[in-house]
Amino acid sequence: MFPPVVHAQGVCFAYDGHLVLEDVDLRVRKGDFLAVLGPNGGGKTTLLKVLLGILKPRRGGISVLGVPPGQAAHKVGYVPQHINIHPRFSITVEDVVLLGRMPHRSWWRCFGEADRSAARQALERVGMWDVRDRRIGRLSGGQRQRVFIARALANDPELLFLDEPTASVDRDFQTALYDLLKELNASMTIIVVSHDLSILSSYATSVACVNKTLFYHDRAEFTQTMLETAYHCPVELVTHGPVPHRVLKDHRCS
Amino acid sequence: MMPEFIQYEFMRNALAACLLISVCCGVMGSLVVVNRLVFLSGGIAHASYGGVGAAIYLGVSPYLGAALCALLASLVMGGISLRAKHRSDSTIGVIWAVGMAAGIILVDMTPGYNVDLMSYLFGSILLVPSSSLWLMGTLNLMVLGWVRLFYYDLLAMSYDEEHARVMGVPVRGLYYSLLALAALTVVTVIQAVGLILVIALLTIPAVMAEGFARSLGTMMIWSVLLSAVFCVSGLLLAYSLNLTAGAAIVMVATGGYFLSKLFGRMRGATQGY
């Protein structure tokens, strides 16, 4: 039995006195593919940022890869939600990906041959090596998303965090992205924040539903209790099969 | 053939000051622009006037007072903006005004008329003494050494601060050091164009370079070259037409900026077809 990759106990977080996360417990095992679902404003992204060490929790203990959040930078990959920051920034695609190698730099804080080849491999893996010399702002949303995934992969992570990776990409790339993640899942633990329930069907191995509190299920399915407690209102489950159909579950708003 | 103005020591010093200022101005200006610190730098520049007033009142060097006060202001503003990034502008505005007001009152309380006041507001590049050139050179070495050592950290922080944090970049320390060096740069550039115009010289070359540079490093190099061109041609214009040097430099820079915008628009229009 391996120690958990992510272990959070009793985590609380508040913005300006407004409680966003309350008493959250979470254990993620090595090799898991955890889907973090929940309504908008429910605290999914906040949870991710707390686990990454970007935000400091008000209370509670967290260990990520056996150390406090933010201390295992050389083993963590992060694909943030907003890929449109600084669209005019003077930076090439290759340099963006190189920034994913920050924790591996030599003692005089420069990148070496190993870093450049890791960046190249990551760019080739997402099919973006050909546009390496372009300014990042010249790329389309989907291309930019791939570059940001390459930046996370360049770090050769054991644990990969993705925040809404399909928010700005088309349907085809979405499937390709999930296939890529499934492939990566063989060698790394993956935590994906999403409000796309289709991720559950064939990719995720466990689910956490966040709406201030967190409900965890170690199989890739949404339970009735999760829905009811997380969304507090009637929920419409839409699945994408060969013939579009929907599963409607109606329950009272609490 | 040497042009005749080279024989005057004050012109030689002024030209040297132009070139020295361009280095720190271009490098720090680029970082100020990409990190969206233009307003904060304006706050530092104006708050430093409090230091000028205090120095005149106490009878010490105004630029020493300005530098200390600018460093203090950068520290305070850095703390505020790190804590509440989106709500910091009003507080910075208050510090901006308080520094100015304190400076004016302190000068009022000092007996006698003081020439330094005007030179501080509008710059005095024609009066730069050799000792100031050495200080500018020292600041340039500090800035260049710092950028050389932390280039990728600065790039990571400027491009995506949260990702930089996740990657273990010491964002806090880097941010404070960026503000401190920007504060010293602002005080130095004030000698050339004065308090009122310092932001123009800090940002115009950087914004122009951002339009075509493909990395932060080339953006810095182009900003340095552009500000050197603007400073030297503005100085020569002021010399030949007998104008205020600081204002002439900024007018040349603004002219260059609008020309580049026009050129960029024309190029964009032809690329559209």
Side-chain angles (χ1 to χ4, degrees), chain A residues 21 37 50 72 94 103 115 124 141 157 189 213-214 229 243 254:
Chain A
L21 294 175
L37 304 168
V50 167
E94 192 175 10
D115 301 308
E124 282 172 344
T189 311
T213 50
L214 184 145
T229 15
V243 181
S254 54

Side-chain angles (χ1 to χ4, degrees), chain A residues 49 105 109 133 135 151, chain B residues 153 160 162 210 213-214:
Chain A
K49 288 186 177 175
R105 287 174 304 164
R109 310 183 84 83
D133 287 331
R135 268 172 75 148
R151 179 177 70 171
Chain B
D153 300 75
D160 186 346
E162 288 195 340
E210 192 181 34
R214 291 158 53 78

Side-chain angles (χ1 to χ4, degrees), chain A residues 63-205:
Chain A
S63 85
V64 175
L65 295 163
V67 290
Q71 308 266 300
H74 57 293
K75 297 181 193 166
V76 166
Y78 172 41
V79 181
Q81 180 176 8
H82 296 293
I83 56 163
N84 296 324
I85 43 161
H86 292 278
R88 284 166 45 90
F89 203 98
S90 302
I91 189 167
T92 59
V93 167
E94 192 175 10
D95 282 350
V96 169
V97 176
L98 214 45
L99 292 182
R101 292 288 293 180
M102 293 297 280
H104 294 268
R105 287 174 304 164
S106 52
W107 61 270
W108 64 90
R109 310 183 84 83
C110 281
F111 291 112
E113 208 41 57
D115 301 308
R116 291 182 196 283
S117 78
R120 178 182 180 146
Q121 276 175 23
L123 273 171
E124 282 172 344
R125 187 150 206 180
V126 297
M128 287 286 112
W129 176 246
D130 290 344
V131 296
R132 63 188 176 277
D133 287 331
R134 283 214 215 145
R135 268 172 75 148
I136 187 80
R138 312 282 282 186
L139 267 51
S140 72
Q143 287 178 313
R144 221 176 292 166
Q145 186 70 64
R146 288 177 212 230
V147 171
F148 279 74
I149 290 166
R151 179 177 70 171
L153 294 182
N155 200 18
D156 206 5
E158 288 177 27
L159 175 59
L160 181 59
F161 292 92
L162 301 99
D163 195 353
E164 302 278 7
T166 54
S168 54
V169 299
D170 57 54
R171 196 87 210 161
D172 287 343
F173 179 58
Q174 188 170 326
T175 316
L177 173 67
Y178 283 145
D179 286 342
L180 173 67
L181 291 182
K182 192 172 186 174
E183 193 187 313
L184 292 169
N185 191 215
S187 58
M188 61 187 78
T189 311
I190 295 181
I191 299 180
V192 179
V193 163
S194 180
H195 54 237
D196 172 20
L197 297 183
S198 70
I199 190 177
L200 290 175
S201 55
S202 50
Y203 306 100
T205 60

Side-chain angles (χ1 to χ4, degrees), chain B:
Chain B
M1 282 301 287
M2 283 284 183
E4 45 121 6
F5 56 78
I6 285 293
Q7 58 190 294
Y8 302 116
E9 195 195 350
F10 75 90
M11 274 306 277
R12 283 201 302 271
N13 277 358
L15 280 169
C18 278
L19 297 175
L20 286 169
I21 282 169
S22 299
V23 176
C24 57
C25 185
V27 172
M28 295 312 295
S30 299
L31 287 167
V32 161
V33 165
V34 296
N35 282 285
R36 296 168 187 173
L37 297 172
V38 176
F39 185 69
L40 201 149
S41 310
I44 291 173
H46 286 78
S48 73
Y49 190 68
V52 175
I56 290 174
Y57 185 73
L58 296 172
V60 295
S61 157
Y63 284 105
L64 178 70
L68 290 177
C69 194
L71 282 175
L72 180 71
S74 72
L75 207 67
V76 174
M77 292 179 186
I80 292 166
S81 63
L82 269 179
R83 208 168 327 132
K85 203 141 225 173
H86 301 288
R87 297 289 307 142
S88 56
D89 57 345
S90 45
T91 321
I92 290 167
V94 171
I95 300 174
W96 176 313
V98 166
M100 271 315 267
I104 292 167
I105 288 173
L106 282 165
V107 171
D108 282 346
M109 287 161 61
T110 311
Y113 177 73
N114 210 305
V115 190
D116 280 310
L117 175 64
M118 291 306 281
S119 77
Y120 195 80
L121 287 178
F122 297 103
S124 55
I125 196 150
L126 295 174
L127 302 174
V128 168
S130 306
S131 58
S132 289
L133 297 180
W134 284 105
L135 284 175
M136 290 172 187
T138 313
L139 174 66
N140 282 348
L141 285 181
M142 277 166 63
V143 166
L144 291 176
W146 174 75
V147 167
R148 174 71 187 80
L149 187 59
F150 295 109
Y151 176 74
Y152 285 106
D153 300 75
L154 287 164
L155 178 62
M157 177 179 80
S158 311
Y159 182 60
D160 186 346
E161 191 205 310
E162 288 195 340
H163 184 263
R165 275 178 203 270
V166 174
M167 291 291 103
V169 172
V171 166
R172 269 186 102 72
L174 216 53
Y175 189 71
Y176 279 117
S177 60
L178 166 58
L179 292 185
L181 284 172
L184 292 178
T185 301
V186 161
V187 172
T188 307
V189 176
I190 280 173
Q191 298 198 32
V193 297
L195 169 62
I196 294 171
L197 303 172
V198 61
I199 293 305
L201 194 58
L202 201 62
T203 53
I204 288 173
V207 171
M208 284 174 68
E210 192 181 34
F212 54 84
R214 291 158 53 78
S215 73
L216 186 58
T218 47
M219 179 177 166
M220 287 171 175
I221 292 167
W222 276 108
S223 314
V224 170
L225 294 176
L226 285 170
S227 47
V229 169
F230 294 151
C231 285
V232 171
S233 49
L235 177 68
L236 296 183
L237 193 70
Y239 174 81
S240 54
L241 300 179
N242 196 20
L243 306 169
T244 305
I249 289 169
V250 170
M251 282 312 282
V252 170
T254 320
Y257 176 71
F258 282 115
L259 274 180
S260 80
K261 278 274 164 201
L262 201 69
F263 180 69
R265 184 163 291 185
M266 270 159 51
R267 214 177 50 167
T270 45
Q271 275 176 351
Y273 291 104

